[in-house]
Amino acid sequence: EQHPRGTYLFHRGDFGDALYVVLSGQVALELRSGSNAEVLALCAPGDWFGELALLTNGPRTADARVTVDATLLRVSRAGWTELSLRAPKLFARLCERLSRQLRATTEPPRPARRVVIHLGDGAGGGAPWVRELARRLSRQFPTREVHVLGSEGQTADPVPLEGALAKILTPDALILLAGAGAERLADRRLQRRSSCEWTLEPGRGTRNRETIRGTSPEDTLDRVARHLAGGTIGLALGAGGAYGFAHLGLLRVLDRAGIPVDYVGGASMGAIVGSALAAGISAERLIAFAGNIAARFRSLVLRDLDLRGPALLRGTAVMRVLAELEELRTATFESLILPFVAIAMDVRNGEEVLLDTGPVLEGIRPSFAMPGIFPCCVVGERVMVDGAMVNPVPVDRVRDLGADFVIAAQPIPSLHPVAADPVGGLLGRARWIADFLPLRRLRFGIETVDVSVRSFQALWYRLAAAAALGADAIVHPDLREFWFLQFGDATTIIAAGEGAAEAAVPQIRTALAERVGFETVGNAAR
């Protein structure tokens, strides 16, 4: 539904027969008293509202006023019921997110709990990295007390240490213990393997151990600090074909703003960008690489065309291009700097498939195997296609990796009535060639791809909007003027992603401080 600014969607006391998801624009939830209005919340893209009245069959508890021209997804009571029958997995996901949202509105914020970490071998005798770790904890989490016990001449005898621990009354204190005798007093054990690799035991969830890596000793120690404090940051990179170039603009802005990334998950184009980020390739290098791809995009596609096969392209050109990045060519999921997972779908049963083991390049290939564009990937008994079909913005999978705070990057726009480039660069030329020769099979194939892509885009946009709802922050650039396969315009799409990310940074910083206590250097200075 399209609603102009100033429209009231409902008033307090109205019967509630639908919930709304904000796809674009902004809606204010207000309580009015005479001529005065108290704004309870501002709902941005990815937010939803109106669920209480829908589920309780009661009246609306506030007014809903459109403050910026908005596109909304209206889910009626009948639609909610039908959703539960026709798409039980999606319905279950929506219910899970709804329950989290409802719980967050009724429960007070939970303070970070006290953490006691044993520093393992090599921490005694006042090792320089111990104090440096404490300093980095204090810098990134300035509201929490940091204590170091059993180091720099202090005894590591557990009896005095127990007394020292008992005197620390702050409920969210971060306590570092050195010395072999202190291990039984700690919640977890940190071990320094090298300046750029550490282990933490036990790991998150059912994992016995977590390996923490970085591109430099300083970067690694900062990441260790975030793991200890429960302030790790994950990035869920959404599917979107050429729209996914916007992810590179986001990476540039996060780097500039001092907002780090500790975990990565991605589907389709998000899996490609995410794997490169997890391998330690910088945003600036990826942006330069994308520009190079855009410059030769047409020749790459022409060499990869397969008019007799099951899909328009063979997919070998994409793999050769990605192999130009040495870090990806030799990487396995296990050797990546950042924990990373890619998403695919098994077309036999519709199940989501997590790609997280073995060689990275072969591993991510099923994640971008878009039906009709690339052939299916057969691995063992699985027949896999693009992950956008089942989880286009894998926020939940990034949380499963261990992220405490998740940023969702959702680049897919709603369908524009008149596409700026309906067949996109190369395909436009190919259509002209088909008319001129004429190559009827080529023309038919191009027309079919155009219709298929736009159909998929309409579906994926709705799935992605729902999937992103579980994130702590959402970045959604406006890319309606571009086409799904417009890879030749990488630079412009990257710039659009950068602009959207710049606008989102203040909200991301605020949410990080409120939810996990993390502050960037620039934010702390203010």
Side-chain angles (χ1 to χ4, degrees):
E1 298 180 353
Q2 305 284 337
H3 295 279
R5 178 182 177 183
T7 302
Y8 277 89
L9 301 169
F10 53 75
H11 293 278
R12 185 180 183 184
D14 290 351
F15 175 69
D17 61 348
L19 68 83
Y20 296 85
V21 180
V22 182
L23 303 180
S24 65
Q26 181 177 273
V27 176
L29 302 182
E30 303 173 332
L31 274 181
R32 288 197 166 271
S33 177
S35 59
N36 297 322
E38 177 189 356
V39 177
L40 302 177
L42 289 175
C43 300
D47 295 334
W48 59 10
F49 59 92
E51 68 281 353
L52 283 177
L54 173 68
L55 297 180
T56 62
N57 202 29
R60 299 292 189 186
T61 57
D63 298 343
R65 179 173 59 90
V66 177
T67 54
V68 177
D69 292 352
T71 302
L72 306 175
L73 175 63
R74 184 179 184 273
V75 182
S76 66
R77 191 182 306 279
W80 185 263
T81 303
E82 184 178 356
L83 182 64
S84 67
L85 297 173
R86 296 199 175 194
K89 289 185 179 180
L90 178 58
F91 175 75
R93 239 182 234 174
L94 289 174
C95 287
E96 180 184 346
R97 292 190 176 97
L98 178 58
S99 66
R100 280 202 303 264
Q101 184 169 328
L102 291 174
R103 186 169 60 247
T105 62
T106 56
E107 291 184 358
R110 295 183 180 180
R113 71 177 184 87
R114 168 168 140 154
V115 179
V116 181
I117 303 293
H118 180 248
L119 298 180
D121 302 334
W129 64 262
V130 176
R131 287 293 170 184
E132 182 61 19
L133 175 59
R135 187 184 73 80
R136 290 175 183 272
L137 279 166
S138 296
R139 178 175 59 80
Q140 296 182 92
F141 302 91
T143 62
R144 300 181 68 177
E145 288 185 8
V146 180
H147 301 266
V148 181
L149 303 177
S151 180
E152 295 189 355
Q154 299 181 42
T155 176
D157 190 304
V159 176
L161 281 180
E162 285 188 45
L165 282 172
K167 293 178 182 178
I168 300 174
L169 303 178
T170 309
D172 64 347
L174 297 164
I175 305 167
L176 308 179
L177 300 181
E183 188 165 359
R184 69 178 182 83
L185 304 175
D187 304 311
R188 306 173 83 184
R189 184 176 189 270
L190 178 69
Q191 182 64 54
R192 183 178 187 269
R193 298 291 183 185
S194 70
S195 62
C196 291
E197 182 170 315
W198 303 63
T199 58
L200 186 60
E201 300 175 351
R204 294 293 185 91
T206 59
R207 294 194 294 272
N208 294 324
R209 172 186 296 180
E210 285 190 59
T211 300
I212 306 169
R213 298 186 177 104
T215 55
S216 69
E218 296 76 19
D219 169 63
T220 310
L221 208 56
D222 274 339
R223 181 163 292 127
V224 168
R226 292 191 294 276
H227 275 76
L228 299 185
T232 54
I233 302 170
L235 193 56
L237 298 174
Y243 299 132
F245 279 132
H247 295 326
L248 302 182
L250 170 62
L251 297 185
R252 170 183 272 169
V253 169
L254 292 180
D255 187 53
R256 193 161 56 215
I259 298 173
V261 176
D262 302 300
Y263 296 96
V264 190
S268 195
M269 185 66 165
I272 294 175
V273 175
S275 64
L277 175 63
I281 304 175
S282 70
E284 295 304 322
R285 188 171 153 210
L286 287 175
I287 289 171
F289 184 67
N292 178 273
I293 293 174
R296 49 191 175 126
F297 167 62
R298 292 170 177 167
S299 62
L300 290 171
V301 171
L302 285 175
R303 288 200 300 268
D304 209 40
L305 280 174
D306 185 13
L307 301 180
R308 296 178 179 273
L312 184 66
L313 303 176
R314 298 181 183 89
T316 53
V318 176
M319 299 301 290
R320 282 198 301 268
V321 167
L322 294 178
E324 294 173 13
L325 295 169
E326 183 178 356
E327 294 88 341
L328 285 183
R329 185 169 65 248
T330 59
T332 63
F333 281 90
E334 295 77 11
S335 69
L336 291 172
I337 292 174
L338 301 181
F340 167 69
V341 63
I343 308 299
M345 186 188 81
D346 190 334
V347 294
R348 299 180 312 152
N349 51 28
E351 289 184 354
E352 180 179 3
V353 180
L354 305 185
L355 308 170
D356 58 2
T357 60
V360 170
L361 280 185
E362 286 301 321
I364 66 173
R365 186 168 187 169
S367 188
F368 58 83
M370 179 179 173
I373 303 295
F374 296 114
C376 299
C377 292
V378 180
V379 180
E381 296 183 356
R382 291 196 180 276
V383 181
M384 293 180 285
V385 296
D386 201 303
M389 298 291 183
V390 65
N391 195 355
V393 188
V395 172
D396 52 347
R397 299 309 176 186
V398 176
R399 287 204 191 278
D400 291 343
L401 286 177
D404 300 291
F405 185 98
V406 179
I407 301 170
Q410 201 294 82
I412 302 177
S414 58
L415 277 180
H416 201 276
V418 179
D421 183 10
V423 291
L426 171 68
L427 294 186
R429 294 192 175 195
R431 176 180 284 179
W432 177 85
I433 294 171
D435 285 339
F436 179 73
L437 290 180
L439 298 175
R440 303 185 73 180
R441 180 177 175 83
L442 176 60
R443 179 183 176 87
F444 177 76
I446 293 168
E447 294 285 357
T448 301
V449 167
D450 188 25
V451 172
S452 297
V453 165
R454 290 176 64 78
S455 300
F456 281 132
Q457 181 180 337
L459 170 65
W460 289 343
Y461 172 66
R462 287 163 175 78
L463 288 177
L469 289 174
D472 299 283
I474 301 174
V475 179
H476 181 42
D478 185 355
L479 301 174
R480 287 175 294 176
E481 66 178 287
F482 301 100
W483 192 52
F484 195 92
L485 299 179
Q486 208 163 332
F487 288 92
D489 285 326
T491 301
T492 312
I493 297 174
I494 291 169
E498 187 173 352
E502 287 282 8
V505 161
Q507 292 179 330
I508 295 174
R509 279 183 167 146
T510 299
L512 279 168
E514 291 177 349
R515 300 185 189 187
V516 297
F518 174 85
E519 291 193 6
T520 64
V521 175
N523 198 36
R526 285 191 289 274

